[in-house]
Amino acid sequence: MFVHFFHELKKANVPVSLREYLMLLEAMDADVIERKVEDFYFLSRASLVKDERNLDKFDQVFSHVFKGLDLTLEDHTTQLPEEWLKALTEKFLTEEEKAEIEKLGGWEKIMETLKQRLEEQKKRHEGGNKMIGTAGTSPFGANGYNPEGVRIGQKEGRHGKAVKVWDKREYKNLDDQVELGTRNIKVALRRLRKFAREGAPTELDLDDTIKSTAHHGYLDIKMVAERRNKVKLLVFFDIGGSMDSHIKLCEELFSAARTEFKNMEYFYFHNCLYEGVWKDNRRRHNEKMNTWDVLHKFPADYKVVFVGDATMSPYEITYAGGSVEHWNEEAGALWLERVTQIYESAIWLNPVPERHWEYTPSLQIIKQIMGERMYPLTLEGLDKGMRELSR
């Protein structure tokens, strides 16, 4: 059974190794958990999953292998109209009434009956004993009662009788194709970290102290410099206009980057990089910094990241005077080319889903200027971007 589970995980592209599989078997042999499916789920997840982005795949495989859940049935449940499951009332029954309610008789019978009801039901039901609905005694639905059933569309359990809790999977948002949260961004950004020990020796080097003490025959304390992230980051954020719909995602990226990189500088621009950038959007007309000054101040060993949707008129990139806010003496494309010439490691992160990129001419122009180093703001895209900067 466990071998089948292992092969199913490999088939689902969850990177599990033989060492992790043997560790799981050792834990089972040592009886570190009770013989319950729930306990085994948490143990196997902790043993076999190394990367958070694979948790959703693991949940699906686990359900398929150990709970008999047909992977093809998930689409049927997610298509149920929301109004069918609105909890207008709840069902409260006496113990005698509960005892009279019929059980369906096991998992296979429940799944077979659910599939049949999905095919038959055409409208919302409330308070019934057969169809999918609310506040009833049907085995399927929400906010009702049945000693053996499938909970659909309910926030949490009430009677603890559901055989299968068919709600959204806990880690669905960690799939590598979805937009990010601050926690996931931090995980992806860590790929760019490069540690070194610099400065005054302020930390105890325990291994060297033990070795030196044993060699000399007396206590010989050795100190070492603090270990710090050497990577220096320069980030340019597009702000305003079409980027307003991506503010939350950019805030999460900014927050995560400030936590992971102590040597980080940031500036704002609008649509395309021109001769001036700023750090305070409320005073951007009065306290602009010359872009040349920024490029001269930060040396070429900085990693550069542009964050923007690259959505604008192509004239704003290719022509002098193309900016929608002021008369730019030089084309935005020229400024972007200067950045890529000075900084060898430079990428563009785009919050727009990659499937829409081909329909935006300005995006294609910027992508070409950046040497095709444009990545979507998903976990997978950010991971690829960090790999590019680490080269």
Side-chain angles (χ1 to χ4, degrees), residues 348-377:
W348 189 291
L349 297 177
N350 198 322
V352 175
E354 192 171 7
R355 63 182 180 274
H356 301 312
W357 288 7
E358 61 180 296
Y359 306 110
T360 308
S362 60
L363 190 152
Q364 296 299 323
I365 295 172
I366 290 181
K367 185 180 178 184
Q368 183 178 359
I369 294 173
M370 296 298 298
E372 303 298 319
R373 292 172 296 183
M374 180 180 286
Y375 304 94
L377 257 180

mmCIF file of all heavy atoms in Angstrom, residues 348-377:
data_model
loop_
_atom_site.group_PDB
_atom_site.id
_atom_site.type_symbol
_atom_site.label_atom_id
_atom_site.label_comp_id
_atom_site.label_asym_id
_atom_site.label_seq_id
_atom_site.Cartn_x
_atom_site.Cartn_y
_atom_site.Cartn_z
ATOM 1 N N TRP A 348 12.364 41.670 -14.843
ATOM 2 C CA TRP A 348 11.094 42.391 -14.727
ATOM 3 C C TRP A 348 10.044 41.402 -14.221
ATOM 4 O O TRP A 348 9.839 40.340 -14.805
ATOM 5 C CB TRP A 348 10.677 42.944 -16.083
ATOM 6 C CG TRP A 348 9.491 43.883 -16.039
ATOM 7 C CD1 TRP A 348 8.197 43.551 -15.747
ATOM 8 C CD2 TRP A 348 9.486 45.292 -16.291
ATOM 9 N NE1 TRP A 348 7.391 44.652 -15.801
ATOM 10 C CE2 TRP A 348 8.159 45.756 -16.133
ATOM 11 C CE3 TRP A 348 10.476 46.209 -16.634
ATOM 12 C CZ2 TRP A 348 7.798 47.076 -16.317
ATOM 13 C CZ3 TRP A 348 10.118 47.539 -16.816
ATOM 14 C CH2 TRP A 348 8.793 47.972 -16.654
ATOM 15 N N LEU A 349 9.376 41.745 -13.112
ATOM 16 C CA LEU A 349 8.296 40.928 -12.565
ATOM 17 C C LEU A 349 6.962 41.563 -12.925
ATOM 18 O O LEU A 349 6.749 42.740 -12.667
ATOM 19 C CB LEU A 349 8.424 40.809 -11.042
ATOM 20 C CG LEU A 349 9.677 40.119 -10.524
ATOM 21 C CD1 LEU A 349 9.712 40.141 -9.006
ATOM 22 C CD2 LEU A 349 9.772 38.685 -11.030
ATOM 23 N N ASN A 350 6.064 40.773 -13.510
ATOM 24 C CA ASN A 350 4.805 41.298 -14.027
ATOM 25 C C ASN A 350 3.618 40.656 -13.312
ATOM 26 O O ASN A 350 3.462 39.431 -13.332
ATOM 27 C CB ASN A 350 4.705 41.022 -15.528
ATOM 28 C CG ASN A 350 3.678 41.885 -16.211
ATOM 29 O OD1 ASN A 350 2.616 42.163 -15.663
ATOM 30 N ND2 ASN A 350 3.976 42.309 -17.426
ATOM 31 N N PRO A 351 2.759 41.453 -12.649
ATOM 32 C CA PRO A 351 1.594 40.888 -11.950
ATOM 33 C C PRO A 351 0.478 40.433 -12.882
ATOM 34 O O PRO A 351 -0.472 39.791 -12.428
ATOM 35 C CB PRO A 351 1.134 42.047 -11.068
ATOM 36 C CG PRO A 351 1.569 43.278 -11.793
ATOM 37 C CD PRO A 351 2.867 42.913 -12.457
ATOM 38 N N VAL A 352 0.559 40.767 -14.158
ATOM 39 C CA VAL A 352 -0.460 40.335 -15.122
ATOM 40 C C VAL A 352 -0.232 38.863 -15.457
ATOM 41 O O VAL A 352 0.903 38.459 -15.722
ATOM 42 C CB VAL A 352 -0.391 41.184 -16.409
ATOM 43 C CG1 VAL A 352 -1.371 40.664 -17.457
ATOM 44 C CG2 VAL A 352 -0.677 42.642 -16.096
ATOM 45 N N PRO A 353 -1.277 38.022 -15.449
ATOM 46 C CA PRO A 353 -1.112 36.605 -15.794
ATOM 47 C C PRO A 353 -0.447 36.446 -17.167
ATOM 48 O O PRO A 353 -0.759 37.161 -18.122
ATOM 49 C CB PRO A 353 -2.545 36.069 -15.808
ATOM 50 C CG PRO A 353 -3.288 36.963 -14.861
ATOM 51 C CD PRO A 353 -2.672 38.324 -15.040
ATOM 52 N N GLU A 354 0.455 35.508 -17.264
ATOM 53 C CA GLU A 354 1.261 35.348 -18.469
ATOM 54 C C GLU A 354 0.426 35.050 -19.710
ATOM 55 O O GLU A 354 0.828 35.391 -20.834
ATOM 56 C CB GLU A 354 2.279 34.230 -18.240
ATOM 57 C CG GLU A 354 3.358 34.150 -19.297
ATOM 58 C CD GLU A 354 4.465 33.197 -18.930
ATOM 59 O OE1 GLU A 354 4.330 32.484 -17.906
ATOM 60 O OE2 GLU A 354 5.477 33.158 -19.663
ATOM 61 N N ARG A 355 -0.740 34.461 -19.529
ATOM 62 C CA ARG A 355 -1.574 34.119 -20.696
ATOM 63 C C ARG A 355 -2.089 35.357 -21.423
ATOM 64 O O ARG A 355 -2.544 35.264 -22.566
ATOM 65 C CB ARG A 355 -2.743 33.246 -20.259
ATOM 66 C CG ARG A 355 -3.705 33.905 -19.286
ATOM 67 C CD ARG A 355 -4.820 32.952 -18.870
ATOM 68 N NE ARG A 355 -5.763 33.565 -17.936
ATOM 69 C CZ ARG A 355 -5.588 33.593 -16.625
ATOM 70 N NH1 ARG A 355 -4.494 33.043 -16.103
ATOM 71 N NH2 ARG A 355 -6.477 34.165 -15.835
ATOM 72 N N HIS A 356 -2.024 36.532 -20.783
ATOM 73 C CA HIS A 356 -2.500 37.769 -21.406
ATOM 74 C C HIS A 356 -1.380 38.590 -22.044
ATOM 75 O O HIS A 356 -1.658 39.606 -22.686
ATOM 76 C CB HIS A 356 -3.210 38.641 -20.364
ATOM 77 C CG HIS A 356 -4.389 37.997 -19.716
ATOM 78 N ND1 HIS A 356 -5.377 37.345 -20.425
ATOM 79 C CD2 HIS A 356 -4.741 37.879 -18.401
ATOM 80 C CE1 HIS A 356 -6.284 36.865 -19.591
ATOM 81 N NE2 HIS A 356 -5.913 37.166 -18.356
ATOM 82 N N TRP A 357 -0.157 38.176 -21.905
ATOM 83 C CA TRP A 357 0.969 39.006 -22.335
ATOM 84 C C TRP A 357 0.986 39.270 -23.844
ATOM 85 O O TRP A 357 1.321 40.366 -24.279
ATOM 86 C CB TRP A 357 2.284 38.346 -21.921
ATOM 87 C CG TRP A 357 2.541 38.408 -20.442
ATOM 88 C CD1 TRP A 357 1.700 38.857 -19.478
ATOM 89 C CD2 TRP A 357 3.732 37.990 -19.758
ATOM 90 N NE1 TRP A 357 2.271 38.750 -18.240
ATOM 91 C CE2 TRP A 357 3.516 38.224 -18.371
ATOM 92 C CE3 TRP A 357 4.941 37.449 -20.168
ATOM 93 C CZ2 TRP A 357 4.484 37.924 -17.418
ATOM 94 C CZ3 TRP A 357 5.904 37.151 -19.214
ATOM 95 C CH2 TRP A 357 5.679 37.393 -17.855
ATOM 96 N N GLU A 358 0.620 38.281 -24.619
ATOM 97 C CA GLU A 358 0.762 38.410 -26.072
ATOM 98 C C GLU A 358 -0.177 39.457 -26.672
ATOM 99 O O GLU A 358 0.010 39.891 -27.805
ATOM 100 C CB GLU A 358 0.517 37.063 -26.744
ATOM 101 C CG GLU A 358 -0.884 36.498 -26.516
ATOM 102 C CD GLU A 358 -1.080 35.164 -27.201
ATOM 103 O OE1 GLU A 358 -1.016 35.124 -28.459
ATOM 104 O OE2 GLU A 358 -1.276 34.161 -26.486
ATOM 105 N N TYR A 359 -1.187 39.891 -25.903
ATOM 106 C CA TYR A 359 -2.155 40.855 -26.427
ATOM 107 C C TYR A 359 -1.774 42.310 -26.125
ATOM 108 O O TYR A 359 -2.520 43.223 -26.475
ATOM 109 C CB TYR A 359 -3.541 40.567 -25.841
ATOM 110 C CG TYR A 359 -3.991 39.141 -26.037
ATOM 111 C CD1 TYR A 359 -4.087 38.266 -24.957
ATOM 112 C CD2 TYR A 359 -4.292 38.643 -27.313
ATOM 113 C CE1 TYR A 359 -4.483 36.950 -25.127
ATOM 114 C CE2 TYR A 359 -4.687 37.339 -27.496
ATOM 115 C CZ TYR A 359 -4.782 36.492 -26.402
ATOM 116 O OH TYR A 359 -5.166 35.191 -26.584
ATOM 117 N N THR A 360 -0.636 42.535 -25.487
ATOM 118 C CA THR A 360 -0.230 43.890 -25.100
ATOM 119 C C THR A 360 1.082 44.252 -25.802
ATOM 120 O O THR A 360 2.150 43.763 -25.417
ATOM 121 C CB THR A 360 -0.053 43.991 -23.569
ATOM 122 O OG1 THR A 360 -1.230 43.495 -22.923
ATOM 123 C CG2 THR A 360 0.200 45.434 -23.153
ATOM 124 N N PRO A 361 1.046 45.122 -26.825
ATOM 125 C CA PRO A 361 2.262 45.470 -27.569
ATOM 126 C C PRO A 361 3.354 46.076 -26.688
ATOM 127 O O PRO A 361 4.540 45.748 -26.848
ATOM 128 C CB PRO A 361 1.759 46.478 -28.607
ATOM 129 C CG PRO A 361 0.303 46.161 -28.765
ATOM 130 C CD PRO A 361 -0.165 45.720 -27.423
ATOM 131 N N SER A 362 2.977 46.967 -25.745
ATOM 132 C CA SER A 362 3.993 47.597 -24.900
ATOM 133 C C SER A 362 4.714 46.570 -24.037
ATOM 134 O O SER A 362 5.925 46.680 -23.781
ATOM 135 C CB SER A 362 3.342 48.655 -24.006
ATOM 136 O OG SER A 362 2.351 48.080 -23.152
ATOM 137 N N LEU A 363 3.992 45.555 -23.588
ATOM 138 C CA LEU A 363 4.609 44.514 -22.771
ATOM 139 C C LEU A 363 5.650 43.743 -23.583
ATOM 140 O O LEU A 363 6.739 43.422 -23.073
ATOM 141 C CB LEU A 363 3.511 43.582 -22.246
ATOM 142 C CG LEU A 363 3.871 42.556 -21.178
ATOM 143 C CD1 LEU A 363 2.646 42.238 -20.325
ATOM 144 C CD2 LEU A 363 4.394 41.258 -21.802
ATOM 145 N N GLN A 364 5.326 43.466 -24.832
ATOM 146 C CA GLN A 364 6.271 42.744 -25.687
ATOM 147 C C GLN A 364 7.537 43.569 -25.940
ATOM 148 O O GLN A 364 8.651 43.028 -26.006
ATOM 149 C CB GLN A 364 5.596 42.377 -27.009
ATOM 150 C CG GLN A 364 4.431 41.417 -26.874
ATOM 151 C CD GLN A 364 4.834 40.084 -26.276
ATOM 152 O OE1 GLN A 364 5.915 39.569 -26.558
ATOM 153 N NE2 GLN A 364 3.975 39.531 -25.436
ATOM 154 N N ILE A 365 7.376 44.890 -26.063
ATOM 155 C CA ILE A 365 8.537 45.760 -26.283
ATOM 156 C C ILE A 365 9.462 45.727 -25.069
ATOM 157 O O ILE A 365 10.694 45.567 -25.196
ATOM 158 C CB ILE A 365 8.076 47.204 -26.563
ATOM 159 C CG1 ILE A 365 7.300 47.265 -27.884
ATOM 160 C CG2 ILE A 365 9.272 48.153 -26.609
ATOM 161 C CD1 ILE A 365 6.648 48.617 -28.148
ATOM 162 N N ILE A 366 8.892 45.886 -23.885
ATOM 163 C CA ILE A 366 9.709 45.888 -22.659
ATOM 164 C C ILE A 366 10.348 44.521 -22.439
ATOM 165 O O ILE A 366 11.516 44.427 -22.022
ATOM 166 C CB ILE A 366 8.853 46.301 -21.452
ATOM 167 C CG1 ILE A 366 8.508 47.785 -21.554
ATOM 168 C CG2 ILE A 366 9.572 45.998 -20.143
ATOM 169 C CD1 ILE A 366 7.681 48.318 -20.402
ATOM 170 N N LYS A 367 9.598 43.472 -22.712
ATOM 171 C CA LYS A 367 10.158 42.129 -22.569
ATOM 172 C C LYS A 367 11.378 41.941 -23.465
ATOM 173 O O LYS A 367 12.386 41.346 -23.057
ATOM 174 C CB LYS A 367 9.079 41.103 -22.911
ATOM 175 C CG LYS A 367 9.508 39.653 -22.690
ATOM 176 C CD LYS A 367 8.381 38.700 -23.049
ATOM 177 C CE LYS A 367 8.836 37.254 -22.884
ATOM 178 N NZ LYS A 367 7.784 36.297 -23.308
ATOM 179 N N GLN A 368 11.313 42.493 -24.674
ATOM 180 C CA GLN A 368 12.445 42.398 -25.596
ATOM 181 C C GLN A 368 13.634 43.219 -25.092
ATOM 182 O O GLN A 368 14.780 42.768 -25.153
ATOM 183 C CB GLN A 368 12.015 42.884 -26.981
ATOM 184 C CG GLN A 368 13.108 42.764 -28.037
ATOM 185 C CD GLN A 368 12.633 43.214 -29.407
ATOM 186 O OE1 GLN A 368 11.479 43.608 -29.575
ATOM 187 N NE2 GLN A 368 13.508 43.159 -30.387
ATOM 188 N N ILE A 369 13.368 44.425 -24.591
ATOM 189 C CA ILE A 369 14.438 45.263 -24.050
ATOM 190 C C ILE A 369 15.131 44.576 -22.871
ATOM 191 O O ILE A 369 16.356 44.648 -22.712
ATOM 192 C CB ILE A 369 13.880 46.633 -23.606
ATOM 193 C CG1 ILE A 369 13.373 47.414 -24.817
ATOM 194 C CG2 ILE A 369 14.956 47.439 -22.872
ATOM 195 C CD1 ILE A 369 12.655 48.700 -24.452
ATOM 196 N N MET A 370 14.345 43.868 -22.060
ATOM 197 C CA MET A 370 14.901 43.176 -20.890
ATOM 198 C C MET A 370 15.564 41.850 -21.255
ATOM 199 O O MET A 370 15.950 41.089 -20.367
ATOM 200 C CB MET A 370 13.793 42.921 -19.868
ATOM 201 C CG MET A 370 13.163 44.162 -19.283
ATOM 202 S SD MET A 370 14.326 45.189 -18.348
ATOM 203 C CE MET A 370 14.804 44.080 -17.036
ATOM 204 N N GLY A 371 15.697 41.594 -22.533
ATOM 205 C CA GLY A 371 16.332 40.343 -22.955
ATOM 206 C C GLY A 371 15.503 39.121 -22.610
ATOM 207 O O GLY A 371 16.065 38.076 -22.253
ATOM 208 N N GLU A 372 14.165 39.253 -22.714
ATOM 209 C CA GLU A 372 13.213 38.181 -22.413
ATOM 210 C C GLU A 372 13.200 37.797 -20.936
ATOM 211 O O GLU A 372 12.603 36.787 -20.555
ATOM 212 C CB GLU A 372 13.512 36.924 -23.261
ATOM 213 C CG GLU A 372 13.507 37.154 -24.758
ATOM 214 C CD GLU A 372 12.136 37.630 -25.266
ATOM 215 O OE1 GLU A 372 11.132 37.096 -24.794
ATOM 216 O OE2 GLU A 372 12.107 38.529 -26.125
ATOM 217 N N ARG A 373 13.818 38.605 -20.093
ATOM 218 C CA ARG A 373 13.863 38.283 -18.653
ATOM 219 C C ARG A 373 12.676 38.924 -17.928
ATOM 220 O O ARG A 373 12.832 39.730 -17.023
ATOM 221 C CB ARG A 373 15.183 38.754 -18.041
ATOM 222 C CG ARG A 373 16.391 37.966 -18.536
ATOM 223 C CD ARG A 373 17.695 38.574 -18.083
ATOM 224 N NE ARG A 373 17.882 39.904 -18.647
ATOM 225 C CZ ARG A 373 18.977 40.649 -18.449
ATOM 226 N NH1 ARG A 373 19.944 40.206 -17.676
ATOM 227 N NH2 ARG A 373 19.084 41.840 -19.001
ATOM 228 N N MET A 374 11.483 38.561 -18.349
ATOM 229 C CA MET A 374 10.259 38.998 -17.707
ATOM 230 C C MET A 374 9.548 37.758 -17.164
ATOM 231 O O MET A 374 9.399 36.759 -17.866
ATOM 232 C CB MET A 374 9.347 39.753 -18.680
ATOM 233 C CG MET A 374 8.041 40.229 -18.049
ATOM 234 S SD MET A 374 6.970 41.130 -19.212
ATOM 235 C CE MET A 374 7.841 42.687 -19.335
ATOM 236 N N TYR A 375 9.097 37.852 -15.908
ATOM 237 C CA TYR A 375 8.507 36.696 -15.247
ATOM 238 C C TYR A 375 7.195 37.103 -14.566
ATOM 239 O O TYR A 375 7.082 38.210 -14.032
ATOM 240 C CB TYR A 375 9.467 36.117 -14.204
ATOM 241 C CG TYR A 375 10.815 35.762 -14.777
ATOM 242 C CD1 TYR A 375 11.868 36.673 -14.728
ATOM 243 C CD2 TYR A 375 11.030 34.533 -15.391
ATOM 244 C CE1 TYR A 375 13.106 36.364 -15.269
ATOM 245 C CE2 TYR A 375 12.260 34.209 -15.939
ATOM 246 C CZ TYR A 375 13.301 35.129 -15.875
ATOM 247 O OH TYR A 375 14.520 34.821 -16.419
ATOM 248 N N PRO A 376 6.204 36.207 -14.547
ATOM 249 C CA PRO A 376 4.930 36.526 -13.876
ATOM 250 C C PRO A 376 5.098 36.480 -12.362
ATOM 251 O O PRO A 376 5.946 35.746 -11.838
ATOM 252 C CB PRO A 376 3.993 35.423 -14.372
ATOM 253 C CG PRO A 376 4.900 34.273 -14.673
ATOM 254 C CD PRO A 376 6.182 34.867 -15.184
ATOM 255 N N LEU A 377 4.275 37.255 -11.654
ATOM 256 C CA LEU A 377 4.322 37.262 -10.197
ATOM 257 C C LEU A 377 3.502 36.103 -9.640
ATOM 258 O O LEU A 377 2.477 36.293 -8.988
ATOM 259 C CB LEU A 377 3.827 38.600 -9.646
ATOM 260 C CG LEU A 377 4.906 39.545 -9.159
ATOM 261 C CD1 LEU A 377 4.295 40.846 -8.637
ATOM 262 C CD2 LEU A 377 5.762 38.904 -8.082
#
